[in-house]
Amino acid sequence: MLQLKISAGLAALAATAVCVSAAGAQPAPAAPTAVTGSATPLTTKMATVGGTLSSNGAPTTYSFEYGPTTSYGAQTRTRNAGPHASNISFTFNLSGLTPGTLYHYALVATNSAGTTTGSDETFTTLAPPPPVVSTGASSNVTVKTAVLSGTVNAGGAPTTFFFQYGATSSYGAQSRTKNAGAGTSDRAVSVSLSGLTSGTVYHYRIVASNSAGTTNGDDETFTTTAAPPPAAVTGGPAAIAPKTARVTGTVTPNGAATTYDFEYGATTSYGAQTPSHYAGAGLKGIPVTAVLSGLTPGQTYHFRLVATSSSGTTDGSDQTVTATAAPAPRAAHTNRSRG
C-alpha cells in the first residue's frame, strides 16, 4: 500500500515538472526581417539609403549592398542590431559614387537562423553641372611665345580644357587639350603658346567640357613683342671665277619673316643685286649664300648682305672680291710640210 502511494506521488511530480518545463521554454530564433527603405541623392557623388529590420530573437548584423546593377559589387560596413531589435529604422551614407548614374541597392540582415535580403531599390546620383571657367591673364609674352592662365571648376565630373587663340575673336587655333580633374573647387591651369607672330594682338579664352556640357571663358587679349630688325653679317667669298663669285653671310630674322639679298658693284654704291630669298622667322642665325654674276675678269667688286623684315632693313658690312683674270689665249699651232 505504501509503495503504491510513493509511485503515485512520483508520477504527479514528474507531470508537474513537464508542465513547468513547457511553460519556461523559449521559441527558436528566426531569420531576420529586412525591409529596404528609400534613398535620397545628396550630391553628384553621395546618397543616403535607409531600411528597417527585426532581429527575431538572435544577434543580427546588417549592411547595404549597392552598385550599378543588381549584382551590386559594393557593400557598406556591417553594423550590429542585437537580438531584440524590432522594426528599427536606420540610414547609411554612400560616397564615392559616379555622377548622374543609376544605382541599385538592398538591405541585407544576417543572424544564426539565416540571411534575409530586402527588395532591390534604385536611385540616381545628381547630374554634374557644366564646368565653371575663368579666363586669366597672359604672362611671359615674347616675340613668338606667351603663357595663358585661367581657372576651371569641374563640378564633380571628369573635365578637360584648352585655350582658343588667334588674331580675332574667331580665334582659329587652340592649345592641346589637358585634363582638369573632377574636383568641385577652382583649379588654376595654364598653357604655353609658341610660333606666334611678333607685334601682333592675339585674342584668347579658356574652354572646358565635361559630361554636362561645354563652357567658354571671357575673351581676353595680349600683344606679342615687336621683333627687332633682322641682323645681317656679310661673310667672305666662297668660290671665285672670272665672271662669277659665290659669297656668304649670316641672317638672324629675330622673330619676323625675313628676306635677304646681296648688293654688289664696282663701288660702294653697288648698283646690282642678287635675287631675294626667304630666311624664315626664327631667332637663330642661318648661313646664306648667293652668286654674283656678270662680273668682269680681274675686276674688284664691293658686296654686302641686306636683310629685310616688317621691323626694318639691315645692311651688312661692305666686303670685296676680285674676279679672277681671264686665262691667256692659247697659241695656234700650224703644221708645215717639208720640201
Side-chain angles (χ1 to χ4, degrees):
M1 186 67 176
L2 179 60
Q3 185 176 1
L4 290 175
K5 290 183 179 181
I6 292 174
S7 296
L10 291 175
L13 181 61
T16 302
V18 169
C19 291
V20 171
S21 176
Q26 297 295 320
T33 301
V35 178
T36 306
S38 61
T40 303
L42 299 177
T43 69
T44 58
K45 294 184 177 183
M46 294 183 62
T48 295
V49 293
T52 303
L53 68 79
S54 297
S55 300
N56 293 336
T60 298
T61 60
Y62 62 98
S63 62
F64 280 92
E65 293 183 323
Y66 64 97
T69 69
T70 53
S71 297
Y72 306 110
Q75 182 177 325
T76 65
R77 66 182 180 86
T78 300
R79 292 178 179 173
N80 292 315
H84 304 299
S86 178
N87 292 323
I88 63 168
S89 298
F90 49 84
T91 59
F92 273 86
N93 288 328
L94 309 183
S95 60
L97 307 178
T98 301
T101 300
L102 176 71
Y103 279 87
H104 293 258
Y105 68 102
L107 173 62
V108 180
T110 301
N111 65 17
S112 59
T115 296
T116 302
T117 300
S119 61
D120 177 80
E121 303 293 342
T122 62
F123 66 89
T124 301
T125 51
L126 299 181
V132 177
V133 300
S134 175
T135 307
S138 61
S139 62
N140 298 330
V141 179
T142 68
V143 173
K144 303 186 76 172
T145 65
V147 175
L148 308 182
S149 66
T151 61
V152 179
N153 187 322
T159 298
T160 59
F161 75 93
F162 57 83
F163 282 84
Q164 294 178 319
Y165 63 98
T168 70
S169 56
S170 296
Y171 308 107
Q174 70 179 56
S175 67
R176 69 181 183 88
T177 300
K178 292 185 174 182
N179 184 13
T184 56
S185 59
D186 289 349
R187 176 179 175 178
V189 297
S190 65
V191 298
S192 296
L193 306 182
S194 60
L196 305 179
T197 302
S198 63
T200 301
V201 176
Y202 279 88
H203 292 255
Y204 69 98
R205 69 181 178 185
I206 190 171
V207 180
S209 299
N210 64 19
S211 59
T214 297
T215 305
N216 298 325
D218 293 334
D219 179 80
E220 301 290 347
T221 62
F222 68 89
T223 303
T224 50
T225 304
V233 178
T234 309
I240 306 172
K243 293 187 177 183
T244 63
R246 181 174 293 278
V247 293
T248 64
T250 301
V251 176
T252 304
N254 287 329
T258 299
T259 59
Y260 71 93
D261 58 58
F262 284 86
E263 294 180 328
Y264 63 101
T267 69
T268 53
S269 296
Y270 308 107
Q273 68 182 50
T274 64
S276 180
H277 293 281
Y278 183 58
L283 300 175
K284 296 182 179 180
I286 61 170
V288 297
T289 65
V291 175
L292 313 183
S293 60
L295 307 184
T296 300
Q299 174 72 48
T300 296
Y301 287 86
H302 293 262
F303 69 94
R304 69 181 179 184
L305 174 61
V306 180
T308 301
S309 73
S310 58
S311 298
T313 296
T314 302
D315 298 329
S317 60
D318 180 79
Q319 302 292 334
T320 60
V321 60
T322 300
T324 57
R330 301 178 67 179
H333 296 281
T334 302
N335 293 325
R336 294 180 181 181
S337 60
R338 293 182 181 180

